[in-house]
Amino acid sequence: MTVSDYQTAPHEATRNACYLCAPLGASIAFSGIARCLPYLHGGQGCATYIRRYTISHFREPMDIASSSFGEEATVFGGKDNLFCGLKNVISQYQPDLIGIASTCLSETIGENVPALIEEFRQSVDLGETQLVFASTPSYAGSHLTGFHKAVLATAKALAVKKEEHGGINIMPGMISPADIRYIKRICQDLGISAALLPDYSDTLDGVSWPEYHCFPEGGTPVSVLKGMGGAKASIELCRFSDPQLSAASFLEKCHGLPAYRIGLPVGVRAADEFMDLLSGYAGRPLPEGYTRERGRLLDAYVDAHKYVFGRKALVYGDADFVMGIGRFLAEIGMVPVLCTADKGGNLAGQAEDLLAGVEKAVVLEGADFADIETLATELKPDIFIGSSKGYKLARLLGVPLVRLGFPVHDRLGGARLRCVGYAGTQELFDRIVNALLEHRQDESDIGYSYM
Amino acid sequence: MIEILKDRKQQVREGGKAAGFDMVCDTASLAGSVSQRACVFCGSRVVLYPIADALHLVHGPVGCAAYTWDIRGALSSGPQLHRMSFSTDLREKDVIFGGEKKLYRVLTELIDTYHPKAAFVYSTCIVGVIGDDVEAVCRTVSREKGIDVIPVHSEGFRGTKKNGYQAACQALSRLVGTADTAGISKLSLNILGDFNIAGEIWQIKEYYRRMGIQVVSTITGDGRVDEIRRAHGASLNVVQCSGSMMALARMMQEKYGIPYLRVSYFGIEDMSKALYEVAEKLGDEAMLSRTRELVSQEVASIMPELREYRRKLEGARALVYTGGAFKVFSMVRSLRTLGIKTVVAGSQTGDKDDYRQLADLCDEDTVLLDDTNPLELAKYVQEKGVDLIIGGVKERPIAYKLGVGFCDHNHERKICLAGYSGMLNFAREVYTSVCSPVWSLMPRRRLHTGGEQT
Ligand code: SF4
Ligand code: SF4
């Protein structure tokens, strides 16, 4: 196998970035906690831009409050804005939790936000409202960093060592609401009580409302998160992110729970690993429904093996996503010729063993879409797998794009795209195969209706 | 039901003119109120974005640039450089040691690669804090590369989106007046404040052409650097809607004596009024009669279909919330043309005058909102029995969650809504949403005609 550390000509500018900023990830993570309002300590623009961006993907309400820094706050500090903002949020939303994240601005002026929050706690009666803070300057990471920081901050702030309750903690990472729902269903079917951090399966993919409310239904309740310390183990589907930011490792260190950091369970082998882990903890075998799902998936692998074997794919997005997909592609005989992900993870270090046996895979951290264009022109992939952001390039190169990850804002249902477990893999596999078939059909002059 | 925050009560007007009325507006957003507004940077970026042969470099951390990558529907008939997202993507060490060197390297590299006609460098919040001398870097690069490299002072915290408009106008004023005006006709104008969303400006230009008027530059929809340089040769500035370009129009009046007209291209009434006013200002009897002919032709061509839509939409109730205040006026009138009553109206950036005008234009009981937020919007959607929301992407989920029609009238839309055919598109859009059968399945079921709740 040759995973070379391919580098394009070094350049300084970021041209069409492949990643977003940290408070976005934090906001998404916080929105997976019941009755939690994300709050950004900084300028108004960051909050609004992030709202706009997430709304375009999830197509759901996404309220994010802001300290709305003006010049004065920027020069003299944002304490007044923070206090005023938190009070307003509490009076209007009556949240169970306010997930506060800093922005580049508040970090750069050197705000000591934890101290300010402490002072605020002393000065008002918070009632039931919890405050959690994550430091998320964007110049130190990407949206994924922000996501993990918010998860870790929440675990640190809430998890107490309680009675052992036999449940487990699952940190699913930044996957789709539909994938989170699938994981919850497995747990339910196995009789496992799982605390998911976060769980935005309903909050960011919800139902229609008879009347407007401050918060969408769903999300993991604060009370459940408080019990995380008493679980049997923690499973984190984030193997590539910075281990320093691992909530599972924190819980292991602090409360002695075994931590499993495994890759995204896409593909049969990876899903097996996840399912085995869960059924081990449940102390019972996987219900038959899942083994049949697995069987059907293998059957489909066989049916379509010729269509996919040796076909070259370009995968871009978040580190955990990219490597999870890369490994799955290798499993079905496709070649992930290029895997690019945001900075701040530990991609290159672990790519070697994950993509063992794969020829010609290039793994690149921190690439932008201009880099990807340069490489894609050379590597000539047959298919793109990633967010909507790759569309222009895919169109230019005349290859199909299978949309997955974040953001998907040029198609409906970005929140319902699945890739996790046997059923999710099945969906993804079918989409990939069909995209290749459709492309072949479109390319041909003959117009085959039987492939 | 949701309560209005105490500190926002003066930014909401319920209960009609009789109540006496002086809206508090034009202030910073209240912390914690989940404003729908962005920031100064947003204002600048919106305005300058459509200049297609310029390099737009966002100096700051990655987010500000990433969120504005190709999100606008501003089309170009030629170069597409404006659709790229360039950023200095400042990292920790740049924040500590300053970003000037990186800015210099990035600018030089990008100019060498993309050969733009000019470059705009947008300063975001942290650039203002770390104190980079952006002006000096721009001057150096400008000298070395022989193109205008123009700093845009758009640090997000320096006010509201409106201050961003001003910063953009200031940047533009450095281009205007820098090229020869030979060959420009007396019957000429600049189009200001139209951003060529979905190709709208092409249609407006066509109207002016039919009237016998030369369009010198379009600022900034489908904009080109060299045309903007010559803008001071035109006889008139026509400023569309939002007021985003008023600062530039005023500056050009002062400096070059060019008068300006404030118009709107949305809706039959405002569109026609704009053309007549321009004809009066620039032309003679012949031009006036050409304009009359144009208007009557265009109106006649859309009226039959429009009447059909009106028949179906009559009696529906709308909430209008847009960025600029001027656009709200046009929306209220356009909706009226369709038989729809505006029951809630507001904007992100209106001033006192705007709200006075809006109050005059709307019905007595129309609720007016300045710099509102999702909870307030939702409150009035329910209280007022709204069937349709007109706004941008951030207002959409409020509508859809409650089972209410929505029409995007923001910079992201892909449908041309200006001019006469635009009015027809607008009617079609509104019809497609308000009269969809899906609403009858919603938990909060409404009928588009009556407004009764079942
Ligand atoms: S300032 Fe930082 S937090 Fe705000 S949008 Fe820009 S990158 Fe994101
Ligand atoms: S950092 Fe400043 S300029 Fe950038 S989006 Fe936030 S408020 Fe606007």
Side-chain angles (χ1 to χ4, degrees):
Chain A
M1 100 137 225
T2 52
V3 176
S4 53
D5 247 349
Y6 192 103
Q7 282 300 330
T8 43
H11 58 83
E12 286 277 352
T14 296
R15 308 143 305 170
N16 298 343
C18 206
Y19 46 91
L20 298 151
C21 72
L24 176 133
S27 299
I28 291 180
F30 283 135
S31 64
I33 299 169
R35 300 187 55 81
C36 167
L37 194 78
Y39 182 108
L40 302 188
H41 188 49
Q44 178 60 46
C46 314
T48 305
Y49 273 130
I50 289 170
R51 281 182 66 206
R52 201 211 69 84
Y53 211 81
T54 40
I55 287 172
S56 77
H57 173 85
F58 293 105
R59 298 174 190 255
E60 291 286 328
M62 178 78 182
D63 290 7
I64 302 173
S66 159
S67 286
S68 306
F69 270 46
E71 206 135 11
E72 211 181 287
T74 307
V75 178
F76 299 110
K79 177 178 154 183
D80 291 350
N81 287 54
L82 181 69
F83 282 26
C84 165
L86 290 176
K87 277 184 201 151
N88 282 332
V89 162
I90 291 169
S91 96
Q92 266 210 315
Y93 286 81
Q94 286 149 6
D96 288 354
L97 192 147
I98 304 177
I100 305 164
S102 52
T103 65
C104 304
L105 177 57
S106 53
E107 290 283 344
T108 310
I109 64 170
E111 273 309 65
N112 186 349
V113 190
L116 291 179
I117 292 176
E118 208 29 62
E119 198 181 327
F120 182 75
R121 263 202 199 102
Q122 307 291 332
S123 71
V124 294
D125 177 18
L126 276 171
E128 293 296 297
T129 305
Q130 303 273 339
L131 305 176
V132 169
F133 171 69
S135 155
T136 49
S138 282
Y139 43 77
S142 70
H143 60 287
L144 209 61
T145 322
F147 185 94
H148 292 307
K149 280 185 172 173
V151 170
L152 177 61
T154 307
K156 275 188 175 165
L158 299 183
V160 284
K161 182 80 191 171
K162 277 218 292 213
E163 304 284 286
E164 286 183 13
H165 52 65
I168 56 168
N169 307 314
I170 299 181
M171 274 63 93
M174 208 170 135
I175 57 178
S176 81
D179 275 336
I180 297 183
R181 273 200 292 277
Y182 183 75
I183 291 174
K184 279 164 74 176
R185 210 186 75 210
I186 305 167
C187 291
Q188 208 177 11
D189 290 348
L190 280 168
I192 295 175
S193 100
L196 270 93
L197 179 58
D199 171 12
Y200 42 80
S201 58
D202 288 313
T203 53
L204 292 180
D205 190 21
V207 299
S208 267
W209 296 347
E211 63 175 36
Y212 206 84
H213 16 103
C214 293
F215 295 100
E217 310 80 348
T220 306
V222 169
S223 57
V224 171
L225 295 175
K226 281 186 176 164
M228 285 196 312
K232 273 205 284 194
S234 310
I235 302 174
E236 217 165 44
L237 307 182
C238 322
R239 172 170 168 178
F240 295 96
S241 6
D242 184 349
Q244 302 276 344
L245 303 179
S246 159
S249 307
F250 163 78
L251 291 167
E252 182 170 53
K253 222 180 296 149
C254 221
H255 299 288
L257 323 178
Y260 297 91
R261 302 191 78 208
I262 62 173
L264 202 66
V266 197
V268 171
R269 285 197 188 89
D272 281 350
E273 187 186 359
F274 180 53
M275 300 296 209
D276 289 349
L277 198 53
L278 286 179
S279 86
Y281 267 96
R284 59 163 108 157
L286 215 53
E288 206 205 318
Y290 293 97
T291 45
R292 296 204 59 85
E293 269 178 9
R294 185 181 189 277
R296 273 195 296 272
L297 178 59
L298 286 179
D299 200 53
Y301 274 13
V302 173
D303 289 341
H305 71 280
K306 282 195 187 176
Y307 301 134
V308 294
F309 184 78
R311 307 305 292 274
K312 295 183 285 182
L314 190 158
V315 193
Y316 54 90
D318 304 338
D320 286 297
F321 166 84
V322 164
M323 291 317 294
I325 301 295
R327 189 183 175 196
F328 155 67
L329 294 175
E331 175 176 287
I332 59 173
M334 284 179 73
V335 188
V337 277
L338 178 57
C339 296
T340 69
D342 55 327
K343 300 177 203 181
N346 182 19
L347 195 57
Q350 294 180 64
E352 198 82 20
D353 107 76
L354 263 193
L355 294 176
V358 176
E359 275 177 71
K360 288 182 285 188
V362 176
V363 176
L364 199 59
E365 264 186 64
D368 63 25
F369 275 98
D371 292 322
I372 296 180
E373 181 168 347
T374 314
L375 283 161
T377 315
E378 201 174 303
L379 295 165
K380 298 194 175 38
D382 300 300
I383 194 166
F384 277 37
I385 301 170
S387 72
S388 295
K389 289 300 184 195
Y391 171 66
K392 252 188 176 164
L393 181 55
R395 182 166 117 146
L396 185 79
L397 300 178
V399 293
L401 162 66
V402 169
R403 288 170 178 79
L404 199 64
F406 180 89
V408 174
H409 42 210
D410 63 341
R411 285 292 183 275
L412 189 68
R416 291 180 289 278
L417 296 174
R418 300 201 294 177
C419 65
V420 160
Y422 305 124
T425 303
Q426 180 77 69
E427 261 178 44
L428 176 61
F429 181 71
D430 289 348
R431 290 179 68 209
I432 290 174
V433 175
N434 288 333
L436 290 168
L437 286 178
E438 192 180 325
H439 185 66
R440 227 162 94 178
Q441 229 168 0
D442 291 348
E443 295 265 276
S444 131
D445 300 332
I446 301 175
Y448 295 107
S449 61
Y450 185 87
M451 308 272 291
Chain B
M1 191 54 86
I2 299 136
E3 275 280 313
I4 308 283
L5 285 168
K6 189 171 105 272
D7 293 340
R8 282 203 31 83
K9 288 212 165 115
Q10 300 304 311
Q11 283 173 276
V12 178
R13 178 252 206 190
E14 262 180 298
K17 289 165 207 160
F21 165 61
D22 213 2
M23 190 92 139
V24 170
C25 50
D26 225 349
T27 57
S29 297
L30 177 63
S33 95
V34 192
S35 166
Q36 307 287 90
R37 249 188 206 164
C39 58
V40 179
F41 164 68
C42 172
S44 300
R45 190 81 172 99
V46 180
V47 168
L48 297 174
Y49 175 88
I51 303 175
D53 55 357
L55 182 93
H56 300 270
L57 172 63
V58 182
H59 185 29
V62 75
C64 321
Y67 300 130
T68 47
W69 174 20
D70 207 20
I71 62 171
R72 311 265 165 203
L75 300 187
S76 160
S77 54
Q80 304 289 334
L81 193 56
H82 66 303
R83 297 180 61 195
M84 294 281 284
S85 166
F86 297 117
S87 163
T88 45
D89 194 355
L90 295 180
R91 297 276 124 188
E92 207 140 23
K93 69 172 192 317
D94 307 314
V95 173
I96 297 165
F97 300 110
E100 286 171 27
K101 288 206 181 79
K102 188 169 193 188
L103 174 62
Y104 172 83
R105 290 193 303 265
V106 164
L107 253 177
T108 324
E109 176 185 291
L110 288 174
I111 291 171
D112 288 346
T113 315
Y114 295 93
H115 310 293
K117 287 277 184 182
F120 293 100
V121 179
Y122 304 77
S123 292
T124 60
C125 284
I126 66 169
V127 172
V129 174
I130 61 178
D132 278 0
D133 190 347
V134 177
E135 193 81 48
V137 177
C138 288
R139 220 178 301 122
T140 309
V141 178
S142 193
R143 200 177 331 108
E144 290 177 11
K145 298 291 165 192
I147 62 165
D148 280 301
V149 180
I150 302 171
V152 186
H153 298 287
S154 55
E155 293 87 347
F157 58 81
R158 287 203 205 283
T160 68
K161 192 170 163 188
K162 246 184 165 170
N163 302 82
Y165 293 156
Q166 259 154 31
C169 287
Q170 247 146 38
L172 283 167
S173 73
R174 293 166 75 146
L175 273 185
V176 171
T178 55
D180 187 19
T181 58
I184 294 178
S185 149
K186 271 269 139 229
L187 301 180
S188 61
L189 54 74
N190 299 308
I191 301 178
L192 271 61
D194 185 289
F195 305 111
N196 201 33
I197 308 301
E200 284 170 343
I201 217 166
W202 297 327
Q203 193 174 332
I204 306 298
K205 273 173 99 169
E206 177 61 16
Y207 295 155
Y208 287 136
R209 192 196 58 79
R210 279 161 70 187
M211 286 161 64
I213 296 170
Q214 180 191 2
V215 175
V216 179
S217 71
T218 52
I219 310 177
T220 49
D222 198 15
R224 298 291 183 277
V225 170
D226 285 342
E227 287 174 10
I228 297 170
R229 286 183 197 285
R230 276 160 48 89
H232 60 301
S235 307
L236 179 68
N237 275 333
V238 185
V239 191
Q240 137 101 348
C241 267
S242 67
S244 54
M245 289 273 184
M246 283 305 291
L248 183 66
R250 283 197 200 103
M251 181 233 105
M252 286 174 72
Q253 184 175 40
E254 230 164 77
K255 195 160 172 193
Y256 306 104
I258 304 173
Y260 64 82
L261 268 181
R262 219 175 153 177
V263 303
S264 162
Y265 300 131
F266 297 114
I268 297 180
E269 283 173 67
D270 288 358
M271 183 68 241
S272 307
K273 191 166 157 238
L275 297 181
Y276 284 131
E277 280 180 7
V278 168
E280 246 160 57
K281 199 100 188 173
L282 279 185
D284 44 20
E285 255 320 300
M287 184 186 282
L288 259 174
S289 82
R290 279 199 298 276
T291 309
R292 254 179 247 121
E293 197 179 321
L294 186 159
V295 171
S296 68
Q297 260 177 19
E298 293 287 331
V299 173
S301 77
I302 63 168
M303 256 349 242
E305 206 179 327
L306 217 51
R307 264 189 226 108
E308 274 306 298
Y309 289 124
R310 183 183 169 113
R311 211 171 46 74
K312 286 165 178 145
L313 290 165
E314 189 94 54
R317 297 151 74 83
L319 176 154
V320 182
Y321 189 74
T322 62
F326 228 64
K327 193 152 83 185
V328 188
F329 306 153
S330 296
M331 287 302 100
V332 174
R333 291 193 195 101
S334 302
L335 289 167
R336 220 170 252 167
T337 310
L338 295 174
I340 300 174
K341 179 181 154 89
T342 303
V343 290
V344 187
S347 76
Q348 290 174 18
T349 56
D351 61 24
K352 281 202 161 86
D353 249 6
D354 295 329
Y355 286 111
R356 258 180 235 123
Q357 272 189 59
L358 189 59
D360 282 341
L361 178 66
C362 289
D363 292 320
E364 175 79 17
D365 57 348
T366 300
V367 175
L368 303 188
L369 301 165
D370 177 61
D371 186 22
T372 189
N373 57 48
L375 293 188
E376 288 174 14
L377 287 170
K379 170 187 163 80
Y380 290 112
V381 167
Q382 291 168 120
E383 280 183 19
K384 290 284 182 174
V386 165
D387 306 286
L388 170 73
I389 294 183
I390 297 187
V393 173
K394 294 185 299 290
E395 286 79 38
R396 187 179 64 199
I398 301 167
Y400 287 178
K401 267 291 140 189
L402 289 171
V404 164
F406 172 79
C407 171
D408 183 1
H409 210 305
N410 211 327
H411 286 248
E412 285 144 61
R413 68 195 149 82
K414 307 287 179 289
I415 299 166
C416 163
L417 300 177
Y420 298 98
S421 61
M423 178 64 200
L424 204 51
N425 291 340
F426 177 66
R428 224 174 265 145
E429 267 289 289
V430 169
Y431 166 69
T432 321
S433 192
V434 173
C435 296
S436 165
V438 299
W439 306 132
S440 62
L441 292 166
M442 293 298 123
R444 182 178 166 276
R445 185 182 158 206
R446 308 204 51 81
L447 291 178
H448 70 273
T449 43
E452 70 266 36
Q453 205 141 6
T454 44

